[in-house]
Amino acid sequence: MTTISPDKVTFEDKSLMEQVLLIAELEPEDKNMVLKMIDTFLTKKKTRISFNRTWTLYCAKPEKLPEKVRTEGIGG
């Protein structure tokens, strides 16, 4: 486990660390639910970032888009 020196911790980090410590004290079922929710949010964020990067690539090179998307648009 990584330890963080107290002099390098910002106010926001202390708040987050307090929340993590409180989560660790939850009943296993509740703790697992919280961790699954956090994982879901992080996965959604990563997916959104990946999609945006891919979409930017395709927009920079529209010839790589499928013909139907080029002619009809995304919802077409």
Side-chain angles (χ1 to χ4, degrees):
M1 179 154 83
T2 305
T3 57
I4 300 173
S5 175
D7 58 327
K8 293 183 180 181
V9 177
T10 65
F11 176 78
E12 293 83 8
D13 292 336
K14 286 181 182 175
S15 176
L16 180 59
M17 285 305 298
E18 288 171 1
Q19 290 175 335
V20 170
L21 292 173
L22 290 171
I23 290 170
E25 294 176 6
L26 292 173
E27 294 295 323
E29 184 178 315
D30 294 335
K31 180 170 48 173
N32 286 334
M33 183 183 350
V34 170
L35 295 176
K36 284 179 185 178
M37 289 172 59
I38 291 170
D39 187 50
T40 299
F41 286 117
L42 295 176
T43 301
K44 282 179 149 180
K45 173 109 177 141
K46 288 178 189 176
T47 302
R48 198 173 315 123
I49 289 169
S50 177
F51 173 80
N52 288 340
R53 285 181 183 157
T54 302
W55 185 247
T56 300
L57 172 67
Y58 280 133
C59 288
K61 299 182 180 189
E63 67 278 2
K64 291 193 172 200
L65 285 171
E67 179 64 29
K68 183 175 182 177
V69 173
R70 280 188 276 150
T71 57
E72 300 176 21
I74 290 179

